[in-house]
Amino acid sequence: RFEDGTVSFLDIIALKHGFDVLEKLTGGMEKIKQHTFALAHYTYTVLSNLKYANGAPVVRIYSDTDFRNPDAQGPIINFNVLDENGQVLGFSQVDSMASLHNIHVRTGCFCNTGACQMHLDISNEDIQRNLQAGHVCGDNIDLLDGRPTGSVRISFGYMSSFEDAQTFLNFIIATRLSNSDAEIPLQSVTKLPTESVPDDHLSFNKADELSPILQISDRELGNIPSEAETTGSWQPPEPEAESMRAAVSETAVPTCRKGGKPITVAKIYLYPIKSCSAFEVTEWPVGNQGLLYDRNWMVVNQNGVCMTQKQEPRLCLVSPSIDLKQKIMVIQAEGMDPISVPLEDNTGKEAVICESKVCSHRVKTYDCGERIAGWLSAFLGRPCRLIRQSSDMKSKSHQKNTKGLSSAKSISLSLVNEAQYLLINVASILQLKEHISARLKEPLEIEELIQRFRANIVISASESFEEEEWAEISIGALQFQVVGPCSRCQIICIDQQSGERNKEILQSLSAARGRKTNFGIYLMNQPFCSSFSDTLSVGSQVLPVLKENTEIQPPTSSEEKCSG
């Protein structure tokens, strides 16, 4: 009686056939329960006993049972990952790392705020404070004041296999433990022979063989201390004086920046086409949405959905450049003849205005024509089109009310995800480079790292990560306010010269920065009241104002950051 429209009678008719197929494949729900619980039981047992070298647990599992009774516990494990000091790593970071290993997890509160409050010890007052800080359901704000706002969940189904459980456990070990840290050695994770798992794990004709494959005997369980025994008496150790995390931690700068070498702009990049190659300049006009023509265009697939390097890494091989005198954008790629697109906005009678989405924001765009669509489709090997943000709709279609800005006006954005500008510091890059080089067989060049982080403004400062303590900066006559850190995603794993992926980059950043994958800061510039006459130039001095007595709010986008 609550059906909105016609009852789904076709799906109802299909139910019997679906249950029949499920019975044939698996032997029935009872066998599915045994199989999935055996997987969850095994994973829970190993996961709850993983420890760092100092005895600290690697995860904190949230459960009302001890995973011994399948009638009381389903095949789901809910947890948060901890560092060696017992601090929670944000679920967004765990999700980003898992995606690099082709593992899909669910994160957040799972539409169960009551259980979330109970297990995470979140009071009603905390919920209100989190909401006031900008946290909403589905966003990436995973930690507030060092406390988690949600957790990570893995689930097993009838098609899940023992190898799936092993893959997940090996992912946790690889990303959180060095070989010397793992008190439960890798052999413990793989002690059940993979040969015993059926080749076709979807064909369960011998239903009684479903669960014994993965069961752990009571004797084996008796030899492994319980989670309470392994974690109950552990206390966070005193922080060590020298460690990799300490070296690249979120250190504070003095309340008043001391004199020394001036901070200057070292490089300026714009990205005319979202997620394509950078266009480096020595000076460039500034508009009311950021650098002029920065991310004014984007590539969409045949369904009109924005394409980024996450789905198509070869976008980084598409190189646009802007010729202000000839008023054209020239696009080049290896093996293709250069093609040009006019800079003049073609919004007119012939242009078809369509609505597109950048993350959760709706933007008005128009198609740039068949010629460039064919060029891009030929290079990328899939149907796609180039669209441009409509200039007459910019102020209405993509705005952001940013807390902390002195003006009450909305800030107009181009096709960026978060803010008008992204700034990184060469000193921070050099600090990070040391740790990445220690993990990679071939060290990265500084220029390659800069390109991976896809910033608009690269500064040269004397202190690494001092930019994270800034509230405002001035560059010449331009005034910017910091609106939060940039939480990095898997795009930094893509070599911007070749399009090849290397997941070690994000893992190294995570290890070096401790609990977050932040790198760089977002900037907003106040809307101009006059014509766009200001320019940003390499060599200009940067004058920062520190955060003291200034409340800075993080971005509140519900989507992954830095995907363009």
Side-chain angles (χ1 to χ4, degrees):
R1 93 178 29 171
F2 293 108
E3 186 73 35
D4 183 13
T6 305
V7 174
S8 184
F9 57 88
L10 292 177
D11 288 342
I12 294 173
I13 294 173
L15 283 174
K16 180 184 183 302
H17 301 283
F19 285 127
D20 289 345
V21 171
L22 202 62
E23 185 80 21
K24 180 180 179 181
L25 287 175
T26 67
M29 290 303 299
E30 182 62 30
K31 296 303 179 184
I32 291 176
K33 181 176 74 173
Q34 294 176 16
H35 172 67
T36 55
F37 182 74
L39 288 171
H41 187 193
Y42 167 74
T43 306
Y44 168 84
T45 303
V46 177
L47 193 63
S48 61
N49 287 281
L50 288 178
K51 298 186 294 293
Y52 292 102
N54 62 3
V58 175
V59 301
R60 178 180 298 144
I61 296 177
Y62 307 107
S63 174
D64 296 324
T65 78
D66 58 0
F67 277 77
R68 291 182 180 270
N69 182 2
D71 293 326
Q73 175 64 53
I76 287 174
I77 303 175
N78 198 303
F79 65 96
N80 267 318
V81 179
L82 310 176
D83 65 16
E84 59 266 34
N85 296 315
Q87 299 298 311
V88 174
L89 275 73
F91 58 74
S92 295
Q93 178 181 345
V94 177
D95 188 19
S96 296
M97 298 300 296
S99 67
L100 293 177
H101 292 258
N102 297 319
I103 296 173
H104 179 72
V105 298
R106 189 175 176 185
T107 60
C109 273
F110 321 106
C111 301
N112 192 340
T113 54
C116 191
Q117 280 191 252
M118 180 180 69
H119 286 287
L120 298 179
D121 193 24
I122 301 175
S123 66
N124 291 339
E125 292 74 20
D126 292 332
I127 292 288
Q128 292 178 333
R129 281 194 294 268
N130 291 351
L131 183 62
Q132 291 170 355
H135 173 53
V136 295
C137 182
D139 66 17
N140 287 324
I141 301 179
D142 47 21
L143 295 172
L144 282 171
D145 297 326
R147 299 178 59 191
T149 62
S151 57
V152 182
R153 192 181 85 182
I154 59 171
S155 309
F156 294 103
Y158 80 86
M159 68 290 290
S160 299
S161 67
F162 177 60
E163 286 93 336
D164 295 334
Q166 280 189 316
T167 298
F168 169 74
L169 291 168
N170 285 330
F171 152 69
I172 294 293
I173 290 174
T175 55
R176 299 311 310 163
L177 301 175
S178 64
N179 291 334
S180 60
D181 284 337
E183 290 202 3
I184 296 180
L186 197 57
Q187 300 91 282
S188 297
V189 180
T190 58
K191 63 181 177 181
L192 295 181
T194 56
E195 292 80 1
S196 66
V197 180
D199 291 334
D200 184 3
H201 59 264
L202 292 181
S203 181
F204 299 143
N205 293 326
K206 296 182 179 180
D208 57 341
E209 295 180 4
L210 207 63
S211 59
I213 296 171
L214 304 177
Q215 286 179 337
I216 299 177
S217 68
D218 291 336
R219 178 179 59 82
E220 290 176 305
L221 286 172
N223 293 333
I224 301 177
S226 68
E227 184 180 12
E229 292 172 340
T230 57
T231 64
S233 60
W234 177 84
Q235 295 294 329
E238 292 296 324
E240 298 180 8
E242 294 294 331
S243 67
M244 180 172 68
R245 179 162 296 112
V248 197
S249 65
E250 301 191 26
T251 53
V253 297
T255 53
C256 295
R257 192 174 187 276
K258 296 180 179 179
K261 184 180 178 181
I263 303 173
T264 58
V265 175
K267 292 178 180 291
I268 300 172
Y269 296 101
L270 63 148
Y271 306 82
I273 305 177
K274 182 178 176 67
S275 230
C276 289
S277 180
F279 175 46
E280 184 175 1
V281 296
T282 56
E283 65 175 14
W284 198 253
V286 172
N288 66 343
Q289 293 183 309
L291 293 171
L292 197 60
Y293 301 118
D294 182 45
R295 293 176 175 91
N296 273 197
W297 294 263
M298 68 180 178
V299 180
V300 296
N301 62 18
Q302 56 188 345
N303 297 318
V305 178
C306 175
M307 292 170 57
T308 72
Q309 290 184 28
K310 293 178 186 175
Q311 302 87 30
E312 181 51 78
R314 296 184 75 239
L315 280 172
C316 70
L317 305 180
V318 177
S319 302
S321 58
I322 301 291
D323 190 326
L324 294 176
K325 292 183 178 180
Q326 297 190 40
K327 298 183 179 180
I328 58 172
M329 175 174 65
V330 179
I331 308 172
Q332 297 176 296
E334 186 176 353
M336 303 290 292
D337 292 332
I339 189 171
S340 63
V341 174
L343 295 182
E344 285 89 351
D345 195 332
N346 195 31
T347 305
K349 295 181 180 179
E350 298 181 358
V352 178
I353 301 296
C354 55
E355 191 172 80
S356 304
K357 290 187 73 176
V358 178
C359 292
S360 59
H361 308 292
R362 294 189 179 277
V363 293
K364 297 292 183 181
T365 60
Y366 67 88
D367 193 284
C368 293
E370 296 295 335
R371 182 166 159 267
I372 184 61
W375 190 94
L376 287 168
S377 300
F379 178 72
L380 297 175
R382 62 166 75 180
C384 56
R385 306 191 70 83
L386 184 69
I387 63 176
R388 184 180 185 183
Q389 188 178 19
S390 176
S391 62
D392 61 343
M393 302 298 293
K394 284 179 183 177
S395 60
K396 300 178 183 178
S397 61
H398 195 185
Q399 293 182 336
K400 191 178 186 72
N401 288 306
T402 307
K403 296 180 181 180
L405 292 181
S406 57
S407 172
K409 298 180 181 179
S410 295
I411 301 298
S412 180
L413 300 179
S414 60
L415 300 177
V416 296
N417 291 355
E418 278 300 319
Q420 296 171 335
Y421 303 87
L422 177 59
L423 178 146
I424 63 175
N425 180 3
V426 173
S428 305
I429 288 279
L430 290 171
Q431 183 83 294
L432 182 64
K433 178 178 178 291
E434 296 178 9
H435 300 288
I436 296 179
S437 298
R439 295 171 64 107
L440 295 177
K441 295 180 180 179
E442 297 182 3
L444 294 172
E445 297 295 331
I446 184 70
E447 186 64 30
E448 181 183 346
L449 267 181
I450 290 175
Q451 291 175 1
R452 285 177 183 264
F453 286 105
R454 296 179 63 81
N456 295 112
I457 304 171
V458 182
I459 63 166
S460 178
S462 57
E463 299 288 338
S464 60
F465 299 105
E466 67 171 287
E467 65 276 10
E468 295 181 353
E469 293 300 321
W470 297 348
E472 304 174 14
I473 65 170
S474 299
I475 304 177
L478 297 170
Q479 303 288 324
F480 303 90
Q481 287 195 269
V482 179
V483 294
C486 177
S487 180
R488 294 297 178 165
C489 66
Q490 57 186 284
I491 282 187
I492 66 170
C493 298
I494 299 173
D495 185 334
Q496 297 297 302
Q497 296 300 314
S498 66
E500 296 179 355
R501 295 181 188 268
N502 183 348
K503 61 186 179 184
E504 188 64 38
I505 304 298
L506 187 59
Q507 291 178 355
S508 297
L509 176 61
S510 174
R513 304 271 7 233
R515 300 168 59 198
K516 296 295 290 183
T517 52
N518 293 346
F519 197 91
I521 55 175
Y522 287 120
L523 304 176
M524 288 288 202
N525 190 21
Q526 295 297 311
F528 288 95
C529 299
S530 58
S531 60
F532 310 146
S533 57
D534 286 297
T535 60
L536 195 63
S537 303
V538 169
S540 298
Q541 187 169 355
V542 179
L543 301 175
V545 176
L546 301 187
K547 274 184 183 178
E548 187 179 22
N549 299 324
T550 304
E551 183 179 356
I552 302 299
Q553 297 292 338
T556 57
S557 169
S558 62
E559 298 294 328
E560 188 96 13
K561 308 298 189 295
C562 304
S563 61

